[in-house]
Structures are given as structure tokens and as C-alpha cells.
Amino acid sequence: DSGVTQTPKHLITATGQRVTLRCSPRSGDLSVYWYQQSLDQGLQFLIQYYNGEERAKGNILERFSAQQFPDLHSELNLSSLELGDSALYFCASSVGRLAGGARGNEQFFGPGTRLTVL
Amino acid sequence: AQSVTQLDSQVPVFEEAPVELRCNYSSSVSVYLFWYVQYPNQGLQLLLKYLSGSTLVKGINGFEAEFNKSQTSFHLRKPSVHISDTAEYFCAVKFNRSGGSNYKLTFGKGTLLTVNP
């Protein structure tokens, strides 16, 4: 158990809909990362937040957005869903370099949310 | 361009045989290196990491890896595998850009290790 929790575990929805994925980081971790895992693209970095602020963006579509709340949990919002958005979405957390030095680079992953768009 | 390559998409081996899963990266900056394992229908679990110091790192479940800076490689090894090691293994790299504040990991495509009896 990594200490990172994600809900829901599974999500089945239709094209055009909007969903919200939730992540709670490990206690004390300030950084949250979102990754998408699909068969064709593999594991892709989407976005990072550090202590409530966006720090980096990867291959995140404009239809997707995220935020990190004062209690450090994060939500990933996916809208106007398409069939190709079906994937496993992982959240990871780390202490963050400022707090943990090089060790802050170590990321702990949650169990993921499997999104199926029909 | 910075990239991570896992040379083998699938590696079948027999139980108790040694195994090596290969990972190479391309980078003009320093790196931190990680191996993660993903068991079926589960999340990613950190096997081991190289941040600094000794280039030979030991991880959980009897795995080890060696950082070779000149060959830009970080191959994962285990001297004797078990059926329970059947899983997908991912090499991940953090590229240390100067002044950078993002810590995203760049992953290889993964290697499916199948251990047969």
C-alpha cells in the first residue's frame, strides 16, 4: 500500500460526458502528479501540482483540467469524453524537492482509476 | 531529445533462471532513475531507484540495477526469478534540467516479464 488513494476505482461513462477523478496523496507529500496509461501511448505524464500550484504540464488535452485543494487532495476533470480517453489514470505523490532534496523525486503511485468511455 | 527506451517488450523465462530487463535513456542532463513494477490490475510499485552514490542499487524482491553513465543504461537484474515475478516492469527517468521545478517521470514502454514453470 503506497499511501496514495484514488477514487473511484472504475468508471464507465458515455461519450460527451464529464467525470471527476479524485486523489489523496500520502500524508506529508506536497506534490501530486497525474499520469495516463493507455495501450497505444503507454504511461504519459499529464500534469503536476505542488502545494496547490500548477508546476508542469505534459500531454494534457484542453478538455482535461486539474486542481489541488488546500488539504492537498487533487481532482482531475475530464470533459467531452471521447472513446480514446478510455485508459487507466494514475495519481502519484512525492514530498517535493524543496522539502525532501533528491529524495523528493521519488513518486508513490495510487492504484489508479480505470475509465471506460462507451 | 530526452527519451527512455526499453529494448524488449516481452521477456519469457523459466522459473529460477536469471533475468535482465534492459533500459536505455537519452539525455544531455543528469538523471534520476527508477524501476517500477505493475502486477495485473494493480498500480505501480517502486522496485528501486538511483539518485546518487553507488551505481549498483538493490531493491525489493531480490532485484538490483546498475547505473552505467557512459552507456546511459539502467538495466534491471534478478539472479533467480519466481512465478510471482510475472508482471510488467517500467523504467522511468527524471531529467534534471537546471532551474527546473517539475519532477515528472518519463517512462519506457514497459517490459512484460513472464515466468514459466
PDB file of all heavy atoms in Angstrom, chain A residues 33 35 37 41 43 45 48 55-56 90 97 102-103 105-107 109-110, chain B residues 32 34 36 38 43-44 46 49 51 90 94 101-105 107 109:
ATOM      1  N   TYR A  33       0.949  14.285  -8.988  1.00  0.00           N
ATOM      2  CA  TYR A  33       1.126  14.114 -10.426  1.00  0.00           C
ATOM      3  C   TYR A  33      -0.013  13.263 -10.967  1.00  0.00           C
ATOM      4  O   TYR A  33      -0.469  12.348 -10.296  1.00  0.00           O
ATOM      5  CB  TYR A  33       2.442  13.384 -10.735  1.00  0.00           C
ATOM      6  CG  TYR A  33       3.657  13.900 -10.006  1.00  0.00           C
ATOM      7  CD1 TYR A  33       3.861  13.593  -8.660  1.00  0.00           C
ATOM      8  CD2 TYR A  33       4.607  14.687 -10.647  1.00  0.00           C
ATOM      9  CE1 TYR A  33       4.972  14.054  -7.982  1.00  0.00           C
ATOM     10  CE2 TYR A  33       5.727  15.145  -9.972  1.00  0.00           C
ATOM     11  CZ  TYR A  33       5.894  14.827  -8.640  1.00  0.00           C
ATOM     12  OH  TYR A  33       7.000  15.288  -7.977  1.00  0.00           O
ATOM     13  N   TYR A  35      -0.984  10.824 -14.313  1.00  0.00           N
ATOM     14  CA  TYR A  35      -0.485  10.110 -15.478  1.00  0.00           C
ATOM     15  C   TYR A  35      -1.634   9.347 -16.119  1.00  0.00           C
ATOM     16  O   TYR A  35      -2.566   8.908 -15.443  1.00  0.00           O
ATOM     17  CB  TYR A  35       0.604   9.091 -15.080  1.00  0.00           C
ATOM     18  CG  TYR A  35       1.891   9.683 -14.583  1.00  0.00           C
ATOM     19  CD1 TYR A  35       2.045  10.037 -13.243  1.00  0.00           C
ATOM     20  CD2 TYR A  35       2.973   9.885 -15.441  1.00  0.00           C
ATOM     21  CE1 TYR A  35       3.232  10.577 -12.769  1.00  0.00           C
ATOM     22  CE2 TYR A  35       4.170  10.414 -14.968  1.00  0.00           C
ATOM     23  CZ  TYR A  35       4.289  10.754 -13.642  1.00  0.00           C
ATOM     24  OH  TYR A  35       5.467  11.290 -13.176  1.00  0.00           O
ATOM     25  N   GLN A  37      -2.370   5.988 -18.564  1.00  0.00           N
ATOM     26  CA  GLN A  37      -1.783   4.780 -19.137  1.00  0.00           C
ATOM     27  C   GLN A  37      -2.760   4.178 -20.140  1.00  0.00           C
ATOM     28  O   GLN A  37      -3.875   3.781 -19.785  1.00  0.00           O
ATOM     29  CB  GLN A  37      -1.450   3.745 -18.070  1.00  0.00           C
ATOM     30  CG  GLN A  37      -0.729   2.515 -18.631  1.00  0.00           C
ATOM     31  CD  GLN A  37      -0.404   1.476 -17.569  1.00  0.00           C
ATOM     32  OE1 GLN A  37      -1.117   1.301 -16.588  1.00  0.00           O
ATOM     33  NE2 GLN A  37       0.716   0.763 -17.756  1.00  0.00           N
ATOM     34  N   GLN A  41      -0.361   4.609 -26.076  1.00  0.00           N
ATOM     35  CA  GLN A  41       0.558   5.678 -25.666  1.00  0.00           C
ATOM     36  C   GLN A  41       1.452   5.315 -24.485  1.00  0.00           C
ATOM     37  O   GLN A  41       2.400   6.043 -24.185  1.00  0.00           O
ATOM     38  CB  GLN A  41      -0.234   6.943 -25.301  1.00  0.00           C
ATOM     39  CG  GLN A  41      -1.030   7.531 -26.461  1.00  0.00           C
ATOM     40  CD  GLN A  41      -0.123   8.146 -27.488  1.00  0.00           C
ATOM     41  OE1 GLN A  41       0.955   8.651 -27.187  1.00  0.00           O
ATOM     42  NE2 GLN A  41      -0.535   8.102 -28.744  1.00  0.00           N
ATOM     43  N   LEU A  43       2.575   5.029 -20.619  1.00  0.00           N
ATOM     44  CA  LEU A  43       2.395   5.894 -19.450  1.00  0.00           C
ATOM     45  C   LEU A  43       2.833   7.313 -19.815  1.00  0.00           C
ATOM     46  O   LEU A  43       3.993   7.562 -20.091  1.00  0.00           O
ATOM     47  CB  LEU A  43       3.245   5.398 -18.292  1.00  0.00           C
ATOM     48  CG  LEU A  43       2.576   4.463 -17.309  1.00  0.00           C
ATOM     49  CD1 LEU A  43       3.598   3.686 -16.519  1.00  0.00           C
ATOM     50  CD2 LEU A  43       1.679   5.233 -16.360  1.00  0.00           C
ATOM     51  N   PHE A  45       2.788  11.468 -18.759  1.00  0.00           N
ATOM     52  CA  PHE A  45       2.600  12.484 -17.736  1.00  0.00           C
ATOM     53  C   PHE A  45       1.576  13.501 -18.209  1.00  0.00           C
ATOM     54  O   PHE A  45       1.638  13.982 -19.347  1.00  0.00           O
ATOM     55  CB  PHE A  45       3.932  13.165 -17.458  1.00  0.00           C
ATOM     56  CG  PHE A  45       3.846  14.427 -16.648  1.00  0.00           C
ATOM     57  CD1 PHE A  45       3.592  14.380 -15.290  1.00  0.00           C
ATOM     58  CD2 PHE A  45       4.040  15.670 -17.239  1.00  0.00           C
ATOM     59  CE1 PHE A  45       3.524  15.535 -14.537  1.00  0.00           C
ATOM     60  CE2 PHE A  45       3.994  16.831 -16.505  1.00  0.00           C
ATOM     61  CZ  PHE A  45       3.726  16.763 -15.146  1.00  0.00           C
ATOM     62  N   GLN A  48       1.325  18.293 -13.071  1.00  0.00           N
ATOM     63  CA  GLN A  48       1.849  18.251 -11.710  1.00  0.00           C
ATOM     64  C   GLN A  48       1.396  19.472 -10.931  1.00  0.00           C
ATOM     65  O   GLN A  48       1.389  20.590 -11.460  1.00  0.00           O
ATOM     66  CB  GLN A  48       3.371  18.224 -11.714  1.00  0.00           C
ATOM     67  CG  GLN A  48       4.000  18.265 -10.305  1.00  0.00           C
ATOM     68  CD  GLN A  48       5.423  18.773 -10.283  1.00  0.00           C
ATOM     69  OE1 GLN A  48       5.997  19.091 -11.319  1.00  0.00           O
ATOM     70  NE2 GLN A  48       6.018  18.833  -9.099  1.00  0.00           N
ATOM     71  N   ARG A  55       2.612  23.143 -11.496  1.00  0.00           N
ATOM     72  CA  ARG A  55       4.053  23.255 -11.698  1.00  0.00           C
ATOM     73  C   ARG A  55       4.489  22.847 -13.096  1.00  0.00           C
ATOM     74  O   ARG A  55       5.474  23.345 -13.613  1.00  0.00           O
ATOM     75  CB  ARG A  55       4.801  22.396 -10.687  1.00  0.00           C
ATOM     76  CG  ARG A  55       4.997  23.055  -9.359  1.00  0.00           C
ATOM     77  CD  ARG A  55       5.845  24.314  -9.480  1.00  0.00           C
ATOM     78  NE  ARG A  55       5.875  25.104  -8.287  1.00  0.00           N
ATOM     79  CZ  ARG A  55       6.806  24.987  -7.356  1.00  0.00           C
ATOM     80  NH1 ARG A  55       7.756  24.086  -7.480  1.00  0.00           N
ATOM     81  NH2 ARG A  55       6.771  25.756  -6.286  1.00  0.00           N
ATOM     82  N   ALA A  56       3.796  21.885 -13.680  1.00  0.00           N
ATOM     83  CA  ALA A  56       4.208  21.429 -15.000  1.00  0.00           C
ATOM     84  C   ALA A  56       3.032  20.781 -15.707  1.00  0.00           C
ATOM     85  O   ALA A  56       2.146  20.210 -15.077  1.00  0.00           O
ATOM     86  CB  ALA A  56       5.346  20.431 -14.890  1.00  0.00           C
ATOM     87  N   PHE A  90      -3.530   7.329 -13.343  1.00  0.00           N
ATOM     88  CA  PHE A  90      -2.819   7.208 -12.080  1.00  0.00           C
ATOM     89  C   PHE A  90      -2.539   8.571 -11.480  1.00  0.00           C
ATOM     90  O   PHE A  90      -2.218   9.520 -12.187  1.00  0.00           O
ATOM     91  CB  PHE A  90      -1.469   6.504 -12.280  1.00  0.00           C
ATOM     92  CG  PHE A  90      -1.568   5.036 -12.514  1.00  0.00           C
ATOM     93  CD1 PHE A  90      -1.264   4.498 -13.756  1.00  0.00           C
ATOM     94  CD2 PHE A  90      -1.930   4.181 -11.491  1.00  0.00           C
ATOM     95  CE1 PHE A  90      -1.341   3.132 -13.973  1.00  0.00           C
ATOM     96  CE2 PHE A  90      -2.012   2.815 -11.700  1.00  0.00           C
ATOM     97  CZ  PHE A  90      -1.722   2.295 -12.943  1.00  0.00           C
ATOM     98  N   ARG A  97      10.955  18.340  -4.026  1.00  0.00           N
ATOM     99  CA  ARG A  97      12.389  18.536  -3.837  1.00  0.00           C
ATOM    100  C   ARG A  97      12.697  19.528  -2.732  1.00  0.00           C
ATOM    101  O   ARG A  97      13.597  19.322  -1.937  1.00  0.00           O
ATOM    102  CB  ARG A  97      13.015  19.007  -5.142  1.00  0.00           C
ATOM    103  CG  ARG A  97      14.512  19.210  -5.028  1.00  0.00           C
ATOM    104  CD  ARG A  97      15.074  19.638  -6.340  1.00  0.00           C
ATOM    105  NE  ARG A  97      16.322  20.340  -6.170  1.00  0.00           N
ATOM    106  CZ  ARG A  97      16.834  21.170  -7.041  1.00  0.00           C
ATOM    107  NH1 ARG A  97      16.201  21.398  -8.164  1.00  0.00           N
ATOM    108  NH2 ARG A  97      17.969  21.758  -6.820  1.00  0.00           N
ATOM    109  N   ALA A 102      16.928  15.326  -3.023  1.00  0.00           N
ATOM    110  CA  ALA A 102      16.842  14.380  -4.141  1.00  0.00           C
ATOM    111  C   ALA A 102      15.753  13.343  -3.886  1.00  0.00           C
ATOM    112  O   ALA A 102      15.084  12.888  -4.799  1.00  0.00           O
ATOM    113  CB  ALA A 102      18.189  13.687  -4.352  1.00  0.00           C
ATOM    114  N   ARG A 103      15.584  13.003  -2.632  1.00  0.00           N
ATOM    115  CA  ARG A 103      14.569  12.001  -2.285  1.00  0.00           C
ATOM    116  C   ARG A 103      13.182  12.484  -2.679  1.00  0.00           C
ATOM    117  O   ARG A 103      12.258  11.683  -2.864  1.00  0.00           O
ATOM    118  CB  ARG A 103      14.645  11.719  -0.779  1.00  0.00           C
ATOM    119  CG  ARG A 103      13.773  10.592  -0.285  1.00  0.00           C
ATOM    120  CD  ARG A 103      14.064  10.309   1.191  1.00  0.00           C
ATOM    121  NE  ARG A 103      13.959  11.505   1.996  1.00  0.00           N
ATOM    122  CZ  ARG A 103      12.808  11.987   2.464  1.00  0.00           C
ATOM    123  NH1 ARG A 103      11.685  11.394   2.155  1.00  0.00           N
ATOM    124  NH2 ARG A 103      12.790  13.079   3.205  1.00  0.00           N
ATOM    125  N   ASN A 105      12.212  13.372  -5.337  1.00  0.00           N
ATOM    126  CA  ASN A 105      11.874  12.916  -6.675  1.00  0.00           C
ATOM    127  C   ASN A 105      11.190  11.564  -6.683  1.00  0.00           C
ATOM    128  O   ASN A 105      10.701  11.129  -7.711  1.00  0.00           O
ATOM    129  CB  ASN A 105      13.141  12.828  -7.524  1.00  0.00           C
ATOM    130  CG  ASN A 105      13.688  14.205  -7.846  1.00  0.00           C
ATOM    131  OD1 ASN A 105      13.310  14.814  -8.821  1.00  0.00           O
ATOM    132  ND2 ASN A 105      14.565  14.700  -6.993  1.00  0.00           N
ATOM    133  N   GLU A 106      11.186  10.863  -5.568  1.00  0.00           N
ATOM    134  CA  GLU A 106      10.596   9.531  -5.525  1.00  0.00           C
ATOM    135  C   GLU A 106       9.086   9.659  -5.495  1.00  0.00           C
ATOM    136  O   GLU A 106       8.533  10.303  -4.594  1.00  0.00           O
ATOM    137  CB  GLU A 106      11.091   8.797  -4.280  1.00  0.00           C
ATOM    138  CG  GLU A 106      10.599   7.372  -4.171  1.00  0.00           C
ATOM    139  CD  GLU A 106      11.219   6.660  -2.992  1.00  0.00           C
ATOM    140  OE1 GLU A 106      12.279   7.093  -2.521  1.00  0.00           O
ATOM    141  OE2 GLU A 106      10.623   5.661  -2.547  1.00  0.00           O
ATOM    142  N   GLN A 107       8.433   9.080  -6.457  1.00  0.00           N
ATOM    143  CA  GLN A 107       6.984   9.186  -6.574  1.00  0.00           C
ATOM    144  C   GLN A 107       6.310   7.879  -6.181  1.00  0.00           C
ATOM    145  O   GLN A 107       6.747   6.807  -6.576  1.00  0.00           O
ATOM    146  CB  GLN A 107       6.592   9.557  -8.007  1.00  0.00           C
ATOM    147  CG  GLN A 107       7.091  10.942  -8.409  1.00  0.00           C
ATOM    148  CD  GLN A 107       6.681  11.344  -9.795  1.00  0.00           C
ATOM    149  OE1 GLN A 107       5.724  10.832 -10.363  1.00  0.00           O
ATOM    150  NE2 GLN A 107       7.408  12.297 -10.359  1.00  0.00           N
ATOM    151  N   PHE A 109       2.753   5.785  -6.303  1.00  0.00           N
ATOM    152  CA  PHE A 109       1.581   5.748  -7.155  1.00  0.00           C
ATOM    153  C   PHE A 109       0.371   5.161  -6.442  1.00  0.00           C
ATOM    154  O   PHE A 109       0.490   4.208  -5.666  1.00  0.00           O
ATOM    155  CB  PHE A 109       1.874   4.916  -8.407  1.00  0.00           C
ATOM    156  CG  PHE A 109       2.672   5.670  -9.437  1.00  0.00           C
ATOM    157  CD1 PHE A 109       4.021   5.901  -9.259  1.00  0.00           C
ATOM    158  CD2 PHE A 109       2.053   6.164 -10.571  1.00  0.00           C
ATOM    159  CE1 PHE A 109       4.766   6.609 -10.198  1.00  0.00           C
ATOM    160  CE2 PHE A 109       2.779   6.867 -11.520  1.00  0.00           C
ATOM    161  CZ  PHE A 109       4.128   7.098 -11.331  1.00  0.00           C
ATOM    162  N   GLY A 110      -0.782   5.707  -6.764  1.00  0.00           N
ATOM    163  CA  GLY A 110      -2.029   5.134  -6.318  1.00  0.00           C
ATOM    164  C   GLY A 110      -2.424   3.954  -7.178  1.00  0.00           C
ATOM    165  O   GLY A 110      -1.752   3.637  -8.160  1.00  0.00           O
TER     166      GLY A 110
ATOM    167  N   TYR B  32      17.814  11.027 -12.624  1.00  0.00           N
ATOM    168  CA  TYR B  32      17.487  10.088 -11.561  1.00  0.00           C
ATOM    169  C   TYR B  32      16.747   8.941 -12.249  1.00  0.00           C
ATOM    170  O   TYR B  32      15.955   9.174 -13.171  1.00  0.00           O
ATOM    171  CB  TYR B  32      16.594  10.721 -10.496  1.00  0.00           C
ATOM    172  CG  TYR B  32      17.242  11.845  -9.717  1.00  0.00           C
ATOM    173  CD1 TYR B  32      16.517  12.979  -9.382  1.00  0.00           C
ATOM    174  CD2 TYR B  32      18.567  11.770  -9.288  1.00  0.00           C
ATOM    175  CE1 TYR B  32      17.083  14.012  -8.647  1.00  0.00           C
ATOM    176  CE2 TYR B  32      19.143  12.795  -8.559  1.00  0.00           C
ATOM    177  CZ  TYR B  32      18.392  13.921  -8.250  1.00  0.00           C
ATOM    178  OH  TYR B  32      18.963  14.940  -7.534  1.00  0.00           O
ATOM    179  N   PHE B  34      14.597   5.101 -12.089  1.00  0.00           N
ATOM    180  CA  PHE B  34      13.672   4.294 -11.294  1.00  0.00           C
ATOM    181  C   PHE B  34      13.224   3.068 -12.095  1.00  0.00           C
ATOM    182  O   PHE B  34      13.127   3.117 -13.321  1.00  0.00           O
ATOM    183  CB  PHE B  34      12.420   5.106 -10.928  1.00  0.00           C
ATOM    184  CG  PHE B  34      12.707   6.423 -10.252  1.00  0.00           C
ATOM    185  CD1 PHE B  34      13.007   7.551 -10.998  1.00  0.00           C
ATOM    186  CD2 PHE B  34      12.674   6.528  -8.876  1.00  0.00           C
ATOM    187  CE1 PHE B  34      13.280   8.779 -10.384  1.00  0.00           C
ATOM    188  CE2 PHE B  34      12.932   7.741  -8.247  1.00  0.00           C
ATOM    189  CZ  PHE B  34      13.240   8.863  -9.004  1.00  0.00           C
ATOM    190  N   TYR B  36       9.834   0.546 -11.850  1.00  0.00           N
ATOM    191  CA  TYR B  36       8.546   0.255 -11.223  1.00  0.00           C
ATOM    192  C   TYR B  36       8.030  -1.084 -11.744  1.00  0.00           C
ATOM    193  O   TYR B  36       8.306  -1.472 -12.884  1.00  0.00           O
ATOM    194  CB  TYR B  36       7.514   1.343 -11.559  1.00  0.00           C
ATOM    195  CG  TYR B  36       7.693   2.640 -10.821  1.00  0.00           C
ATOM    196  CD1 TYR B  36       8.549   3.635 -11.296  1.00  0.00           C
ATOM    197  CD2 TYR B  36       6.995   2.887  -9.639  1.00  0.00           C
ATOM    198  CE1 TYR B  36       8.693   4.839 -10.617  1.00  0.00           C
ATOM    199  CE2 TYR B  36       7.136   4.089  -8.951  1.00  0.00           C
ATOM    200  CZ  TYR B  36       7.984   5.055  -9.446  1.00  0.00           C
ATOM    201  OH  TYR B  36       8.128   6.235  -8.768  1.00  0.00           O
ATOM    202  N   GLN B  38       4.380  -3.386 -12.226  1.00  0.00           N
ATOM    203  CA  GLN B  38       2.911  -3.333 -12.228  1.00  0.00           C
ATOM    204  C   GLN B  38       2.388  -4.760 -12.368  1.00  0.00           C
ATOM    205  O   GLN B  38       2.538  -5.380 -13.432  1.00  0.00           O
ATOM    206  CB  GLN B  38       2.404  -2.462 -13.376  1.00  0.00           C
ATOM    207  CG  GLN B  38       0.893  -2.277 -13.381  1.00  0.00           C
ATOM    208  CD  GLN B  38       0.433  -1.344 -14.479  1.00  0.00           C
ATOM    209  OE1 GLN B  38       1.059  -1.236 -15.531  1.00  0.00           O
ATOM    210  NE2 GLN B  38      -0.684  -0.666 -14.241  1.00  0.00           N
ATOM    211  N   GLY B  43      -1.684  -1.049  -9.394  1.00  0.00           N
ATOM    212  CA  GLY B  43      -0.934   0.168  -9.661  1.00  0.00           C
ATOM    213  C   GLY B  43       0.559  -0.092  -9.782  1.00  0.00           C
ATOM    214  O   GLY B  43       1.008  -1.238  -9.824  1.00  0.00           O
ATOM    215  N   LEU B  44       1.323   0.965  -9.808  1.00  0.00           N
ATOM    216  CA  LEU B  44       2.773   0.878  -9.951  1.00  0.00           C
ATOM    217  C   LEU B  44       3.432   0.854  -8.582  1.00  0.00           C
ATOM    218  O   LEU B  44       3.134   1.683  -7.726  1.00  0.00           O
ATOM    219  CB  LEU B  44       3.298   2.080 -10.729  1.00  0.00           C
ATOM    220  CG  LEU B  44       2.841   2.178 -12.177  1.00  0.00           C
ATOM    221  CD1 LEU B  44       3.122   3.555 -12.738  1.00  0.00           C
ATOM    222  CD2 LEU B  44       3.553   1.137 -13.015  1.00  0.00           C
ATOM    223  N   LEU B  46       7.206   0.915  -6.641  1.00  0.00           N
ATOM    224  CA  LEU B  46       8.615   1.214  -6.842  1.00  0.00           C
ATOM    225  C   LEU B  46       9.466   0.015  -6.455  1.00  0.00           C
ATOM    226  O   LEU B  46       9.373  -0.498  -5.336  1.00  0.00           O
ATOM    227  CB  LEU B  46       9.019   2.426  -6.006  1.00  0.00           C
ATOM    228  CG  LEU B  46      10.467   2.875  -6.143  1.00  0.00           C
ATOM    229  CD1 LEU B  46      10.736   3.400  -7.559  1.00  0.00           C
ATOM    230  CD2 LEU B  46      10.799   3.956  -5.121  1.00  0.00           C
ATOM    231  N   LYS B  49      15.600   2.571  -6.983  1.00  0.00           N
ATOM    232  CA  LYS B  49      15.881   3.891  -7.530  1.00  0.00           C
ATOM    233  C   LYS B  49      17.372   4.179  -7.456  1.00  0.00           C
ATOM    234  O   LYS B  49      18.070   3.675  -6.576  1.00  0.00           O
ATOM    235  CB  LYS B  49      15.111   4.969  -6.784  1.00  0.00           C
ATOM    236  CG  LYS B  49      15.469   5.052  -5.291  1.00  0.00           C
ATOM    237  CD  LYS B  49      14.610   6.054  -4.586  1.00  0.00           C
ATOM    238  CE  LYS B  49      14.999   6.167  -3.103  1.00  0.00           C
ATOM    239  NZ  LYS B  49      14.535   5.002  -2.325  1.00  0.00           N
ATOM    240  N   LEU B  51      19.490   7.678  -7.192  1.00  0.00           N
ATOM    241  CA  LEU B  51      19.500   9.144  -7.065  1.00  0.00           C
ATOM    242  C   LEU B  51      20.928   9.660  -7.069  1.00  0.00           C
ATOM    243  O   LEU B  51      21.237  10.694  -7.672  1.00  0.00           O
ATOM    244  CB  LEU B  51      18.776   9.573  -5.796  1.00  0.00           C
ATOM    245  CG  LEU B  51      17.306   9.131  -5.661  1.00  0.00           C
ATOM    246  CD1 LEU B  51      16.706   9.638  -4.353  1.00  0.00           C
ATOM    247  CD2 LEU B  51      16.485   9.623  -6.842  1.00  0.00           C
ATOM    248  N   PHE B  90       8.503  -1.251 -15.619  1.00  0.00           N
ATOM    249  CA  PHE B  90       8.695   0.032 -16.280  1.00  0.00           C
ATOM    250  C   PHE B  90       9.948   0.721 -15.754  1.00  0.00           C
ATOM    251  O   PHE B  90      10.139   0.852 -14.546  1.00  0.00           O
ATOM    252  CB  PHE B  90       7.499   0.953 -16.027  1.00  0.00           C
ATOM    253  CG  PHE B  90       6.230   0.505 -16.682  1.00  0.00           C
ATOM    254  CD1 PHE B  90       5.332  -0.303 -16.007  1.00  0.00           C
ATOM    255  CD2 PHE B  90       5.937   0.889 -17.989  1.00  0.00           C
ATOM    256  CE1 PHE B  90       4.156  -0.722 -16.608  1.00  0.00           C
ATOM    257  CE2 PHE B  90       4.769   0.476 -18.599  1.00  0.00           C
ATOM    258  CZ  PHE B  90       3.874  -0.334 -17.909  1.00  0.00           C
ATOM    259  N   LYS B  94      13.884  10.701 -14.434  1.00  0.00           N
ATOM    260  CA  LYS B  94      13.651  12.112 -14.143  1.00  0.00           C
ATOM    261  C   LYS B  94      14.845  12.878 -14.699  1.00  0.00           C
ATOM    262  O   LYS B  94      15.977  12.654 -14.278  1.00  0.00           O
ATOM    263  CB  LYS B  94      13.520  12.315 -12.640  1.00  0.00           C
ATOM    264  CG  LYS B  94      13.845  13.707 -12.138  1.00  0.00           C
ATOM    265  CD  LYS B  94      12.803  14.729 -12.520  1.00  0.00           C
ATOM    266  CE  LYS B  94      13.042  16.055 -11.822  1.00  0.00           C
ATOM    267  NZ  LYS B  94      14.308  16.719 -12.109  1.00  0.00           N
ATOM    268  N   SER B 101      11.637  22.976 -11.979  1.00  0.00           N
ATOM    269  CA  SER B 101      10.918  22.689 -10.738  1.00  0.00           C
ATOM    270  C   SER B 101       9.895  21.590 -10.925  1.00  0.00           C
ATOM    271  O   SER B 101       9.145  21.289 -10.030  1.00  0.00           O
ATOM    272  CB  SER B 101      10.228  23.953 -10.236  1.00  0.00           C
ATOM    273  OG  SER B 101       9.306  24.409 -11.207  1.00  0.00           O
ATOM    274  N   ASN B 102       9.837  21.020 -12.099  1.00  0.00           N
ATOM    275  CA  ASN B 102       8.891  19.931 -12.260  1.00  0.00           C
ATOM    276  C   ASN B 102       9.622  18.608 -12.183  1.00  0.00           C
ATOM    277  O   ASN B 102      10.775  18.496 -12.590  1.00  0.00           O
ATOM    278  CB  ASN B 102       8.087  20.075 -13.558  1.00  0.00           C
ATOM    279  CG  ASN B 102       8.729  19.390 -14.737  1.00  0.00           C
ATOM    280  OD1 ASN B 102       8.730  18.170 -14.813  1.00  0.00           O
ATOM    281  ND2 ASN B 102       9.293  20.163 -15.634  1.00  0.00           N
ATOM    282  N   TYR B 103       8.974  17.641 -11.635  1.00  0.00           N
ATOM    283  CA  TYR B 103       9.609  16.378 -11.335  1.00  0.00           C
ATOM    284  C   TYR B 103       8.918  15.224 -12.026  1.00  0.00           C
ATOM    285  O   TYR B 103       8.881  14.131 -11.521  1.00  0.00           O
ATOM    286  CB  TYR B 103       9.630  16.178  -9.817  1.00  0.00           C
ATOM    287  CG  TYR B 103      10.268  17.363  -9.143  1.00  0.00           C
ATOM    288  CD1 TYR B 103       9.516  18.261  -8.411  1.00  0.00           C
ATOM    289  CD2 TYR B 103      11.626  17.605  -9.295  1.00  0.00           C
ATOM    290  CE1 TYR B 103      10.110  19.376  -7.845  1.00  0.00           C
ATOM    291  CE2 TYR B 103      12.216  18.715  -8.737  1.00  0.00           C
ATOM    292  CZ  TYR B 103      11.445  19.601  -8.014  1.00  0.00           C
ATOM    293  OH  TYR B 103      12.032  20.703  -7.468  1.00  0.00           O
ATOM    294  N   LYS B 104       8.411  15.485 -13.196  1.00  0.00           N
ATOM    295  CA  LYS B 104       7.695  14.432 -13.893  1.00  0.00           C
ATOM    296  C   LYS B 104       8.646  13.316 -14.250  1.00  0.00           C
ATOM    297  O   LYS B 104       9.846  13.505 -14.442  1.00  0.00           O
ATOM    298  CB  LYS B 104       7.059  14.981 -15.164  1.00  0.00           C
ATOM    299  CG  LYS B 104       8.042  15.292 -16.268  1.00  0.00           C
ATOM    300  CD  LYS B 104       7.342  15.516 -17.590  1.00  0.00           C
ATOM    301  CE  LYS B 104       8.356  15.637 -18.708  1.00  0.00           C
ATOM    302  NZ  LYS B 104       7.716  15.701 -20.035  1.00  0.00           N
ATOM    303  N   LEU B 105       8.089  12.123 -14.334  1.00  0.00           N
ATOM    304  CA  LEU B 105       8.837  10.954 -14.775  1.00  0.00           C
ATOM    305  C   LEU B 105       8.497  10.664 -16.230  1.00  0.00           C
ATOM    306  O   LEU B 105       7.353  10.782 -16.642  1.00  0.00           O
ATOM    307  CB  LEU B 105       8.475   9.744 -13.926  1.00  0.00           C
ATOM    308  CG  LEU B 105       8.874   9.806 -12.445  1.00  0.00           C
ATOM    309  CD1 LEU B 105       8.361   8.586 -11.706  1.00  0.00           C
ATOM    310  CD2 LEU B 105      10.385   9.933 -12.301  1.00  0.00           C
ATOM    311  N   PHE B 107       8.502   7.620 -18.779  1.00  0.00           N
ATOM    312  CA  PHE B 107       8.502   6.164 -18.695  1.00  0.00           C
ATOM    313  C   PHE B 107       8.865   5.513 -20.017  1.00  0.00           C
ATOM    314  O   PHE B 107       8.555   6.032 -21.103  1.00  0.00           O
ATOM    315  CB  PHE B 107       7.107   5.656 -18.293  1.00  0.00           C
ATOM    316  CG  PHE B 107       6.781   5.860 -16.835  1.00  0.00           C
ATOM    317  CD1 PHE B 107       6.254   7.052 -16.380  1.00  0.00           C
ATOM    318  CD2 PHE B 107       7.013   4.835 -15.928  1.00  0.00           C
ATOM    319  CE1 PHE B 107       5.960   7.236 -15.042  1.00  0.00           C
ATOM    320  CE2 PHE B 107       6.716   5.005 -14.588  1.00  0.00           C
ATOM    321  CZ  PHE B 107       6.186   6.205 -14.138  1.00  0.00           C
ATOM    322  N   LYS B 109       8.267   2.067 -22.463  1.00  0.00           N
ATOM    323  CA  LYS B 109       7.014   1.432 -22.884  1.00  0.00           C
ATOM    324  C   LYS B 109       6.663   0.211 -22.042  1.00  0.00           C
ATOM    325  O   LYS B 109       5.570  -0.316 -22.138  1.00  0.00           O
ATOM    326  CB  LYS B 109       7.111   1.008 -24.343  1.00  0.00           C
ATOM    327  CG  LYS B 109       7.183   2.174 -25.311  1.00  0.00           C
ATOM    328  CD  LYS B 109       5.858   2.895 -25.434  1.00  0.00           C
ATOM    329  CE  LYS B 109       5.890   3.933 -26.537  1.00  0.00           C
ATOM    330  NZ  LYS B 109       4.657   4.757 -26.567  1.00  0.00           N
TER     331      LYS B 109
END
